[in-house]
Amino acid sequence: MSTTDRPVRVRFCPSPTGSPHVGLARTALFNWAFARHHGGTIVFRMEDTDRERSTQESYDAILDLWRWLGLTWDEGIEVGGPHGPYKQSERGDIYADALVRLRDSSYTYECFCKNEEVDARRKAAGSKMMGYDGFCRELTPEQRAAFEADGRAPVVRFRMPDGSITWTDLVRGDITFETENVPDYTLCRANGDPLYTLVNPVDDALMEITHVLRGEDILSSTPRQIALYAALVELGIAKFTPEFGHLPYVMGQGNKKLSKRDPEAHALAYRDQGFLPEGLLNYLALLGWAISGDRDIFSLEEMVEAFDIGDVNPNPARFDLKKADAINASHMRLLSIDDITHRALPFLKAAGVVSDPVSDADAQLLELAMPLVAERINKLTEAAPMLDFLFVADADFTRHDELDAAGRDVVKAAYDALSAIDGWSTAAIDEALRAKLVDELGLKPRHAFGPVRIAISGRKISPPLFESLELLGRDRSIARLRDAMSD
């Protein structure tokens, strides 16, 4: 029976070893969209059998990432379900049982070889084929006894069948491997601890995963797993072999695979940099897929509606940080002022721009100020440096950009003009400054208002100047102009 006739079941199965990679997030997104498109089930398990490298910090970071991105799951970690436990570190008895059943079958054999012995035989034979050479496939009783007398503990190897293995990849079409080029592989360590080569397929089998969508870097292991699935089905451990789809590499600079060492590879860093989850997910979706030929901006709901795994491009996709920024900026433009304010608030609190909890005075000023910057910020982190001049105490105000002598002369003229007006409104400020700096002094607007902007906000880039002056208030504005004149 084809898995296409079964209800779709896919899995997230990250390993908690280091910071979550954007490639991992892209793979999770494609699995999520595929399952949601087909009304299927998403299973989230944690592949934490690497005791030396697995950390609680990484475990928590993966959960934080999934929650921030909104990639929900239906069964597994923190949710439960009929196929638990969902941490591999808690499934040791399950793997031990599968290993016993495999050891008792003709699909495996015990291997006593040391790595250096395999290397020596390869060199002596002049073979260029990497991997195990099958030496222990047919040991005589005498050879086995000699190894045991030497105190060697065997590993269990899977016996690859003769011939070829072909599958129809959901992304790449028909793929064939000649098994003579796929060496017998180890299922467990000599101490009995199971390896990824065993636990991953056993988990997929027992959790009845119908479709395995994963990175291209694991493609070479697929013929081994398909052969193992045949054994698991024969032994009654698996009901069927899942369908496989191998997603394209995510490339970094210089057309090299994006590695964990590349700063743009760390998925959670985008949250900390003020990306919207919608923006990052939209960009990740473009790393191998498109909703149409002339459209880059779409929602997660639109992706689910349109997603077809057969439309994924098998060619490597290059991660372009500038395009990611642009996609995120487009999603910022789609948010309401209230939504931007709500999302920016944690960053404003962290930067000390507003109090935590937010005071009534800060809340009122923020409500007036956010409309001035909402169209100017492309990431949530940009709100703090744009708005801090309005909230900072006068004693703590600093100018990040300097004024030259000509600039201070402009500020002096602005001080004179604004000191003389009666009302303090955007319109009155606009009229007074234009009359003094543009009409009377003959300055171009950029030269006229730039120094005033630095004097008031401390930066060359700020919210609209006249509105900013009104929000800052007459007394504070005049005081800042006066201070800037004397620098």
Side-chain angles (χ1 to χ4, degrees):
M1 180 181 181
S2 170
T3 53
T4 55
D5 299 326
R6 303 175 185 274
V8 167
R9 287 176 62 84
V10 303
R11 79 297 203 264
F12 302 153
C13 55
S15 179
T17 54
S19 178
H21 190 279
V22 293
L24 174 68
R26 193 278 309 267
T27 297
L29 171 61
F30 281 20
N31 274 276
W32 188 90
F34 178 79
R36 293 292 179 251
H37 178 83
H38 291 284
T41 299
I42 299 167
V43 180
F44 180 13
R45 71 171 183 260
M46 198 70 76
E47 299 201 336
D48 59 347
T49 51
D50 189 337
R51 298 173 185 174
E52 293 182 0
R53 298 175 59 225
S54 295
T55 66
Q56 187 65 40
E57 181 183 10
S58 178
Y59 181 99
D60 294 339
I62 291 168
L63 286 172
D64 285 348
L65 177 62
W66 277 197
R67 292 188 185 108
W68 175 65
L69 291 174
L71 297 181
T72 54
W73 58 97
D74 310 299
E75 179 184 323
I77 296 293
E78 297 192 341
V79 174
H83 303 289
Y86 293 94
K87 294 180 183 178
Q88 286 186 339
S89 58
E90 299 174 357
R91 294 173 62 83
D93 291 344
I94 294 171
Y95 307 136
D97 176 69
L99 192 59
V100 167
R101 294 165 71 176
L102 283 164
R103 292 182 83 150
D104 291 343
S105 75
S106 60
Y107 290 105
T108 65
Y109 60 93
E110 292 183 332
C111 172
F112 295 85
C113 295
K114 297 179 180 180
N115 290 336
E116 54 267 29
E117 293 171 339
V118 178
D119 292 339
R121 290 196 297 266
R122 182 186 303 114
K123 291 178 181 177
S127 173
K128 294 183 179 179
M129 182 175 174
M130 302 303 292
Y132 188 61
D133 60 359
F135 181 86
C136 286
R137 263 191 169 218
E138 307 296 341
L139 289 179
T140 65
E142 292 76 17
Q143 287 174 312
R144 182 181 182 89
F147 281 133
E148 290 175 342
D150 194 34
R152 297 196 190 188
V155 299
V156 178
R157 287 192 184 274
F158 186 83
R159 189 189 303 269
M160 286 298 294
D162 295 333
S164 60
I165 291 178
T166 297
W167 75 93
T168 301
D169 195 276
L170 297 169
V171 174
R172 300 165 188 280
D174 290 344
I175 297 177
T176 298
F177 276 76
E178 299 299 327
T179 58
E180 63 182 4
N181 299 318
V182 184
D184 297 345
Y185 61 95
T186 309
L187 296 176
C188 69
R189 296 182 176 89
N191 65 2
D193 286 347
L195 296 172
Y196 170 86
T197 50
L198 174 70
V199 299
N200 179 273
V202 166
D203 281 347
D204 283 348
L206 294 178
M207 295 177 186
E208 300 184 21
I209 301 303
T210 60
H211 297 79
V212 174
L213 309 180
R214 58 191 187 183
E216 181 183 0
D217 53 317
I218 313 179
L219 190 149
S220 62
S221 72
T222 304
R224 301 188 309 190
Q225 293 192 352
I226 290 175
L228 177 57
Y229 265 107
L232 296 177
V233 170
E234 178 69 23
L235 297 173
I237 297 173
K239 295 180 180 179
F240 53 83
T241 297
E243 295 186 56
F244 292 87
H246 291 88
L247 307 174
Y249 283 119
V250 177
M251 310 299 285
Q253 299 298 321
N255 288 326
K256 295 180 180 179
K257 185 183 175 185
L258 193 65
S259 76
K260 287 188 174 182
R261 292 183 297 273
D262 295 321
E264 63 267 40
H266 301 294
L268 269 177
Y270 293 92
R271 178 194 63 181
D272 300 337
Q273 293 165 15
F275 269 72
L276 302 175
E278 304 97 313
L280 183 60
L281 285 170
N282 187 160
Y283 180 67
L284 292 178
L286 297 174
L287 298 177
W289 182 79
I291 196 166
S292 67
D294 58 354
R295 182 182 171 199
D296 279 345
I297 309 300
F298 47 85
S299 68
L300 207 53
E301 293 75 18
E302 290 173 314
M303 180 185 182
V304 167
E305 178 69 24
F307 190 77
D308 186 332
I309 190 64
D311 292 337
V312 173
N313 189 332
N315 296 321
R318 190 173 74 85
F319 194 96
D320 184 341
L321 188 55
K322 290 184 178 179
K323 185 166 185 179
D325 286 340
I327 295 290
N328 189 74
S330 295
H331 278 273
M332 288 286 290
R333 302 289 87 82
L334 299 175
L335 299 181
S336 67
I337 300 296
D338 286 346
D339 200 357
I340 293 177
T341 302
H342 173 73
R343 297 189 193 211
L345 202 54
F347 296 94
L348 294 170
K349 290 178 179 179
V353 173
V354 298
S355 58
D356 186 10
V358 182
S359 66
D360 289 343
D362 281 355
Q364 292 171 6
L365 181 55
L366 187 60
E367 184 178 358
L368 295 171
M370 189 58 77
L372 303 183
V373 302
E375 288 293 322
R376 296 178 174 225
I377 59 175
N378 297 323
K379 298 175 187 174
L380 296 171
T381 46
E382 295 173 3
M386 289 280 276
L387 293 175
D388 61 354
F389 75 98
L390 291 170
F391 294 83
V392 67
D394 290 335
D396 299 325
F397 174 73
T398 58
R399 279 184 288 280
H400 300 273
D401 293 310
E402 298 298 325
L403 287 166
D404 57 17
R408 288 193 293 273
D409 289 342
V410 172
V411 171
K412 172 64 168 62
Y415 172 86
D416 293 340
L418 294 179
S419 297
I421 65 176
D422 294 326
W424 193 259
S425 65
T426 296
I429 293 166
D430 183 343
E431 181 180 359
L433 288 180
R434 289 186 186 277
K436 183 68 175 180
L437 304 179
V438 178
D439 298 339
E440 182 178 331
L441 298 182
L443 297 173
K444 293 182 178 180
R446 180 167 64 89
H447 297 121
F449 304 132
V452 180
R453 188 183 305 279
I454 292 174
I456 292 298
S457 71
R459 302 178 188 272
K460 293 178 181 178
I461 299 174
S462 77
L465 177 60
F466 309 134
E467 290 85 346
S468 296
L469 284 160
E470 180 180 358
L471 286 180
L472 190 61
R474 174 193 287 274
D475 292 344
R476 298 178 73 197
S477 297
I478 295 298
R480 288 189 187 179
L481 291 171
R482 184 170 55 246
D483 289 344
M485 289 160 43
S486 60
D487 284 355

